Amino acid sequence: MQQLSGMDASFLYFETPNAPGHIYMCSIYDPSTAPGGAVTFKGILDFYRSRLHVTPTFRQKLVTVPLGLDHPYWIQDADFDLEFHVRHIALPKPGDWRQLMIQVARLHSRALDHNRALWEATVIEGLDNVEGVPPGSFAVVQKTHHAAIDGVSMLEIISAVHDHEPDAEPPVPDTDWKPDREPTPWELLSRAAVNSALRPMRMARLMSRGVPGAGRLEEQRMRQRLDVPRTTPAPRTRFSGTVSGHRVVEARRWSLDEVRRMKTAVAGATVNDVVIAIVGGGLRMYLVEKGELPKDSLRVMAPISTRTAEQAGSGGNQVSAMIATLGTDIEDPLERLRAVQASTHESKLAAEAVDAQALAGLSEFLPGGLAAIGARLASQFEMATRTTPLVNCVVSNVPGPKNSLYFAGARLVTFWGGAAVADGMGLLHGVGSYCGELMLSVVSDRNMMPDPGHYAECLDKAYQAMGKATT
């Protein structure tokens, strides 16, 4: 039995009926590489079954503390049923990209069952008319709750359930799997009482780590080495309101080498800077067409992994974040990239000056029951429409594998993923890479973005414009 950290538990507390808190990953496979040239649903079930031991996430479920007096616990579920978690559907003909996007959006809109292990995988057959994908391919959409993983640990799980050869043998478990006994309410309350007694000492340790960081930040600011990013409100957009229970998704595939070439046009720029600048260009085009572009630049939140080498494979969330400009007030792509690079550079310096893990540790003291009630009340009373946003969207970049992977013998053609949107921030971009390609995905609310395909076209145009501007 393992207790969730405060940060992990926060993804449960702030989940609402209209804003489920899971991450999704959509992977497309070519079955022609599998033994016999085909993959059956039974074969996929067997493939998952042979790898359940790779990560405890697959068979762990939540146990909540009565009255929300402490963070929940993970236990290994004695009643785990693989066939509940792995489902099977097919697209009707012609099986094209738009149909796939609609189906992925529907799956992403549905919350996970908190009485079961917090993940699901849906096999989607019938991808016969998708550009750049061999006919007869299938997709797997895997949803895992953000309380269990972050973007980096999601990729670790994805890597664990793939092979480097189509006919590889499954990994052998080190020990036999044993389920946990479910604790009684009294046992959970006893643990909560002990944790409450120790909380002041934990707070003191965290403050001793966090205060010096704040001092370093002020010292750098006073020496004019650091222009601390603005904490003033961001402009309001159509993505700043209350989200519904319906999602839209889109994705685009670009050359990773081309994006790397683009970044050389600005000293110190990174691949992530280029992507943020492209998103800024696409969002600028989209809002100009709607007649809704704010005068001031929109701002983006970009998660930063704080996972150390010792924490690799540990699951959960080890993240901080930086806030930077999107440069939506700048029409010229190259000038926009310069503005983004300068902004992310200052934000990274600020993050390095402060102990990010110490700040994240403050989430341990979040009152779970009250936080959950507060999140639901804020959603019910549409508080996002009455408050000013700090950021306008998210761009989350997690580099992926460089070599081909195989799932039940089928070659992974491409993949992309996304996370939750929420009240006040209804637009998210996921960035990944695989075998020389960069994948940019979009998640938004259906009411906020009724035309996701058109927004994806704007992103394509911004990518092409950046390419020309940096040549």
Side-chain angles (χ1 to χ4, degrees):
M1 189 167 75
Q2 178 185 0
Q3 190 170 31
L4 277 70
S5 70
M7 179 175 288
D8 293 345
S10 68
F11 290 103
L12 298 169
Y13 302 149
F14 293 112
E15 186 174 57
T16 67
N18 286 347
H22 55 259
I23 298 174
Y24 89 87
M25 187 78 74
C26 181
S27 307
I28 297 179
Y29 300 96
D30 176 9
S32 66
T33 61
V39 176
T40 65
F41 182 63
K42 181 179 182 301
I44 290 174
L45 285 173
D46 291 340
F47 186 81
Y48 268 108
R49 190 173 288 112
S50 70
R51 284 158 172 77
L52 291 176
H53 63 278
V54 173
T55 171
T57 301
F58 279 135
R59 290 182 286 203
Q60 69 186 15
K61 74 171 185 178
L62 286 170
V63 175
T64 57
V65 178
L67 304 176
L69 294 177
D70 204 354
H71 301 319
Y73 289 83
W74 295 118
I75 65 168
Q76 292 295 302
D77 186 9
D79 298 320
F80 176 79
D81 178 7
L82 179 63
E83 294 190 31
F84 172 85
H85 294 275
V86 184
R87 292 90 183 271
H88 185 203
I89 59 177
L91 296 179
K93 291 185 179 302
D96 58 23
W97 179 256
R98 181 175 177 275
Q99 289 173 299
L100 177 61
M101 292 298 97
I102 291 172
Q103 191 57 251
V104 174
R106 287 172 178 166
L107 292 170
H108 190 40
S109 300
R110 301 171 188 166
L112 294 164
D113 185 347
H114 284 213
N115 295 313
R116 306 266 190 163
L118 287 177
W119 70 278
E120 294 174 2
T122 303
V123 180
I124 306 176
E125 289 192 294
L127 278 63
D128 297 325
N129 194 29
V130 177
E131 184 179 351
V133 174
S137 295
F138 66 93
V140 176
V141 178
Q142 182 160 327
K143 297 159 49 178
T144 310
H145 205 284
H146 218 325
I149 58 170
D150 58 20
V152 173
S153 53
M154 177 70 164
L155 276 182
E156 290 175 351
I157 292 174
I158 294 297
S159 297
V161 295
H162 286 80
D163 299 315
H164 293 284
E165 301 294 338
D167 54 355
E169 292 294 322
V172 178
D174 296 330
T175 58
D176 293 334
W177 178 76
K178 294 181 180 179
D180 291 325
R181 177 183 65 82
E182 189 157 343
T184 67
W186 295 112
E187 289 174 322
L188 294 169
L189 288 171
S190 297
R191 286 173 175 256
V194 172
N195 287 338
S196 294
L198 296 175
R199 196 158 281 135
M201 289 183 287
R202 293 171 181 167
M203 174 64 84
R205 283 198 298 269
L206 281 172
M207 293 302 294
S208 69
R209 292 172 57 189
V211 170
R216 288 193 299 270
L217 185 62
E218 178 64 14
E219 180 183 356
Q220 290 190 21
R221 189 189 68 80
M222 294 298 292
R223 291 179 180 177
Q224 297 184 343
R225 293 174 52 203
L226 180 61
D227 180 16
V228 179
R230 295 183 304 164
T231 56
T232 55
R236 288 194 67 83
T237 71
R238 60 171 50 219
F239 307 109
S240 302
T242 302
V243 297
S244 71
H246 306 288
R247 299 290 170 266
V248 291
V249 302
E250 257 293 350
R252 286 296 184 266
R253 299 161 65 184
W254 299 327
S255 166
L256 181 57
D257 284 341
E258 176 66 1
V259 174
R260 286 172 174 159
R261 183 198 63 77
M262 294 176 190
K263 76 182 180 69
T264 62
V266 174
T270 65
V271 166
N272 202 44
D273 293 337
V274 174
V275 174
I276 290 174
I278 290 173
V279 168
L283 196 50
R284 174 187 170 88
M285 291 182 210
Y286 185 79
L287 293 177
V288 163
E289 290 183 7
K290 305 290 184 184
E292 300 172 2
L293 180 67
K295 179 181 178 181
D296 295 330
S297 175
L298 305 188
R299 288 192 291 169
V300 61
M301 181 181 74
I304 302 172
S305 176
T306 61
R307 190 176 298 272
T308 63
E310 293 76 16
Q311 292 167 329
S314 62
N317 291 266
Q318 303 289 340
V319 292
S320 180
M322 67 175 180
I323 296 175
T325 183
L326 274 166
T328 52
D329 57 333
I330 303 172
E331 185 175 5
D332 181 77
L334 186 55
E335 290 303 315
R336 188 186 317 117
L337 178 56
R338 289 194 178 102
V340 168
Q341 188 277 329
S343 180
T344 59
H345 175 69
E346 299 295 350
S347 189
K348 287 174 187 175
L349 287 177
E352 290 170 0
V354 180
D355 189 334
Q357 290 201 339
L359 291 180
L362 294 175
S363 61
E364 298 297 328
F365 307 97
L366 185 69
L370 292 177
I373 293 172
R376 283 161 174 76
L377 286 174
S379 177
Q380 181 180 350
F381 289 101
E382 300 185 353
M383 293 303 296
T385 64
R386 309 166 193 269
T387 55
T388 305
L390 180 63
V391 296
N392 301 105
C393 71
V394 175
V395 174
S396 180
N397 189 348
V398 182
K402 299 178 180 179
N403 301 313
S404 293
L405 298 178
Y406 297 85
F407 175 86
R411 180 178 65 88
L412 176 62
V413 178
T414 188
F415 74 93
W416 67 92
V421 294
D423 292 349
M425 193 161 56
L427 179 61
L428 178 139
H429 305 82
V431 186
S433 59
Y434 173 64
C435 289
E437 281 192 334
L438 183 143
M439 293 80 71
L440 176 66
S441 67
V442 178
V443 178
S444 188
D445 180 81
R446 191 172 70 189
N447 296 336
M448 296 175 176
M449 184 181 283
D451 49 357
H454 178 60
Y455 178 60
E457 291 172 1
C458 291
L459 292 172
D460 266 333
K461 291 177 182 177
Y463 168 77
Q464 293 160 9
M466 184 66 73
K468 291 179 181 178
T470 54
T471 299

